[in-house]
Amino acid sequence: MSILIKNGLVANASEEFQADIYIEGEKIVAIGANLPHKAEKVIDASGKIVVPGGIDPHVHLDMPFMGTFSSDDYETGTRAALFGGTTMVIDFILQTQGDSLYNALRIWQQKSAGKAIGDYSYHMAVTDFNEQTAAEVVEMIEKEGITSFKTFMAYKGALMIDDGQMVQLMQVVKKHGGMVTVHATNGDMIDSLIAQNRAAGNRAPVYHYLSQPEVTEAEASARFTDMLFYTGCKGYIVHLTCEGALNAVREATKRNQQVNVETCIQYLVLDASLYEQDFDGAKWVMSPPLRQKKDQEALWAGINQGLVNVVATDHCPFTWEQKQMGKSDFAKIPNGHPAIEHRMELLFSEGVNKGRISLPKFVELSATNAAKKFGMYPKKGTIAIGADADICILDPNKKHTLSAKTHHMRTDYSAYEGFEVTGKVETVLLRGNVAIENEKCLLQPGFGQFVVRKAQ
Ligand code: URP
Ligand code: ZN
Ligand code: ZN
């Protein structure tokens, strides 16, 4: 199939320009003004913005967590992502403590094979580091194209590793050109604050927030950057939320260290005042929790200072019934919220349309940097000759309101109910195939491909 996209404002991470794009098969073949190519399908993008398909490098699909499973699977999750202009996601495989990385890989391959509609890759979460794990880490990088290894400094007894294991993992990963990523919060301190609150009879969702103060994230972020500095390993902090943690990264730059930082859309646009309502606050129980307005300001500034490189979602949805597991105890509310569909439009609306970031910066945050840092560039994350034709066309002026009534995620509430957005994703292409058009998804389960990533 050949497609010609005409007259759009094309934006990459480094520039924006008026151009046509000609696509043949899965690839972009030509870019330029008034292209003479004849195509089977012509898309008129006059007045529209044409950007690389979004890459969300932090999602949890069909993940076992806190006694249940996140409610979007590979089919519903990648479909909802496509509706929002995200053509590729990176999900997390969780090693079961006491079991191998390969067993975990096989479980996630069964979850995704034949179901994914959009493209995907996996980070491997190392929850039990030992000699066998070390050998498997090398195989993941060299044989499986999985080059990033997720660690948790919290969730003790389930996912957390200690600092000794962290340093050893970094040493192996560095040697083989991979990256260690981290959920950086001080797990012991959080567990003790949770225990204190429960003992005092404080059971409402707001105590989830109060048990994870900013300092728990700032301390762990500093500790992680110190371990990276010592080992020389490449590192990436996921879902960074606050000024204190960002300052830990800023501090590391003073010794010429470069640390990769991801924030998530919710930390830029929502704040902790949402916890000041009874059990409804459970909709935003996630870890780390939403923070203060001053943290939002620090994150937007950090983006423009080049300290924050990626905006993801940490999409980890649960239904309202699942959230009831913590009705009488905040510590039992499954942590996470639905966002995979809204990331691109919210970032465009709150970022570009409100003048906080430029259009190229939007592309960098939503696609290009994830592709570069996770070893997929320039196949993914850019509009360039020879790249995969993953493209998102959005109308920059179209206003709409987010709601559970219209979203495609498998949750019966929206964490963004009533949020007014300017800018709407209209047409999405994945590898030269029309994925979204006229508010319909045209691709079938199984279309999504696993993307093999390169070590660096
Ligand atoms: O609340 C969250 N973030 N749930 C998913 C697991 C994680 O920590 O990323
Ligand atoms: Zn996390
Ligand atoms: Zn997560």
Side-chain angles (χ1 to χ4, degrees):
M1 169 103 175
S2 57
I3 300 179
L4 183 62
I5 303 172
K6 284 200 74 65
N7 300 321
L9 177 64
V10 178
N12 270 326
S14 50
E15 72 272 298
E16 52 189 276
F17 49 94
Q18 209 70 38
D20 301 344
I21 301 171
Y22 177 68
I23 296 159
E24 236 173 48
E26 298 202 333
K27 301 285 180 188
I28 296 171
V29 168
I31 305 169
N34 303 315
L35 288 180
H37 301 67
K38 300 268 168 276
E40 288 155 80
K41 182 178 175 74
V42 178
I43 299 173
D44 179 12
S46 312
K48 310 279 163 68
I49 289 177
V50 183
V51 292
I55 300 174
D56 187 343
H58 190 156
V59 307
H60 301 279
L61 302 177
D62 195 11
M63 179 179 80
F65 193 51
M66 296 185 72
T68 184
F69 283 80
S70 55
S71 59
D72 268 319
D73 60 15
Y74 268 81
E75 179 180 333
T76 61
T78 60
R79 185 190 288 121
L82 285 168
F83 271 107
T86 291
T87 48
M88 179 181 173
V89 300
I90 313 185
D91 187 25
F92 292 83
I93 297 177
L94 298 184
Q95 176 192 21
T96 302
Q97 291 182 340
D99 202 352
S100 69
L101 298 188
Y102 262 103
N103 279 344
L105 173 60
R106 281 188 273 273
I107 292 170
W108 260 261
Q109 285 170 334
Q110 279 163 18
K111 289 177 191 284
S112 52
K115 288 193 93 172
I117 303 176
D119 284 355
Y120 61 96
S121 180
Y122 313 118
H123 305 284
M124 176 62 72
V126 174
T127 64
D128 192 357
F129 188 81
N130 52 44
E131 264 179 40
Q132 188 199 331
T133 316
E136 286 189 301
V137 161
V138 180
E139 291 187 75
M140 290 297 147
I141 297 174
E142 291 178 356
K143 294 194 186 146
E144 306 299 340
I146 297 171
T147 58
S148 46
F149 298 88
K150 170 78 180 293
T151 59
F152 293 88
M153 296 168 87
Y155 305 121
K156 199 171 185 170
L159 303 173
M160 180 169 153
I161 58 171
D162 65 29
D163 293 350
Q165 291 176 305
M166 179 75 88
V167 168
Q168 288 177 45
L169 173 65
M170 285 178 178
Q171 287 166 335
V172 178
V173 170
K174 175 191 156 57
K175 204 164 155 196
H176 297 273
M179 166 106 87
V180 173
T181 78
V182 71
H183 171 126
T185 61
N186 183 322
D188 282 331
M189 184 170 166
I190 291 167
D191 286 349
S192 132
L193 293 175
I194 290 173
Q196 278 177 25
N197 272 315
R198 292 173 90 202
N202 298 329
R203 300 294 174 111
V206 69
Y207 292 99
H208 169 81
Y209 166 64
L210 295 172
S211 300
Q212 299 204 31
E214 180 177 3
V215 69
T216 59
E217 193 179 331
E219 183 281 329
S221 301
R223 186 156 35 103
F224 179 74
T225 58
D226 284 348
M227 291 186 277
L228 286 178
F229 186 65
Y230 171 71
T231 58
C233 185
K234 284 198 174 68
Y236 177 103
I237 301 178
V238 308
H239 57 38
L240 186 141
T241 69
C242 57
E243 189 180 16
L246 194 60
N247 282 340
V249 173
R250 200 186 309 275
E251 206 49 43
T253 65
K254 294 184 187 164
R255 57 188 175 197
N256 304 321
Q257 193 181 352
Q258 198 256 322
V259 182
N260 301 297
V261 173
E262 164 200 290
T263 190
C264 295
I265 192 66
Q266 60 271 27
Y267 302 118
L268 292 167
V269 306
L270 303 177
D271 69 74
S273 61
L274 290 165
Y275 298 119
E276 291 162 15
Q277 41 192 322
D278 294 330
F279 192 68
D280 235 37
K283 290 176 186 165
W284 301 278
V285 164
M286 62 185 84
S287 292
L290 300 174
R291 302 288 187 196
Q292 303 289 323
K293 292 256 188 256
K294 61 108 184 151
D295 298 298
Q296 292 182 350
E297 278 166 33
L299 292 175
W300 284 113
I303 282 173
N304 284 314
Q305 291 159 351
L307 284 174
V308 177
N309 319 110
V310 171
V311 176
T313 58
D314 192 9
H315 176 73
C316 189
F318 296 100
T319 63
W320 192 231
E321 191 186 339
Q322 288 174 298
K323 288 277 184 182
Q324 304 300 313
M325 292 166 73
K327 183 83 190 162
S328 54
D329 181 356
F330 72 89
K332 298 200 172 110
I333 300 169
N335 285 201
H337 93 309
I340 201 167
E341 186 169 350
H342 300 323
R343 180 184 67 119
M344 300 276 283
E345 288 177 348
L346 281 169
L347 185 62
F348 184 83
S349 185
E350 292 293 304
V352 182
N353 266 338
K354 291 201 171 162
R356 290 177 169 125
I357 55 172
S358 68
L359 184 55
K361 184 57 109 176
F362 166 77
V363 175
E364 193 184 303
L365 296 167
S366 62
T368 313
N369 277 351
K372 285 184 175 170
K373 291 177 189 307
F374 292 114
M376 304 177 282
Y377 186 85
K379 174 180 164 66
K380 300 285 188 193
T382 188
I383 295 179
I385 293 170
D388 281 3
D390 299 346
I391 288 177
C392 167
I393 303 175
L394 59 83
D395 179 337
N397 301 314
K398 192 160 180 181
K399 292 185 192 306
H400 60 119
T401 304
L402 304 183
S403 172
K405 293 194 190 83
T406 47
H407 76 200
H408 301 85
M409 299 174 286
R410 200 192 264 161
T411 47
D412 47 359
Y413 67 88
S414 172
Y416 301 89
E417 192 66 45
F419 205 111
E420 287 182 12
V421 172
T422 304
K424 176 122 184 50
V425 171
E426 292 202 324
T427 307
V428 179
L429 308 186
L430 172 54
R431 283 182 278 109
N433 291 265
V434 180
I436 302 294
E437 195 173 51
N438 300 325
E439 317 239 337
K440 288 202 169 53
C441 180
L442 305 180
L443 299 179
Q444 300 306 316
F447 185 84
Q449 285 181 359
F450 175 72
V451 178
V452 172
R453 297 188 283 119
K454 296 185 288 263
Q456 288 171 339

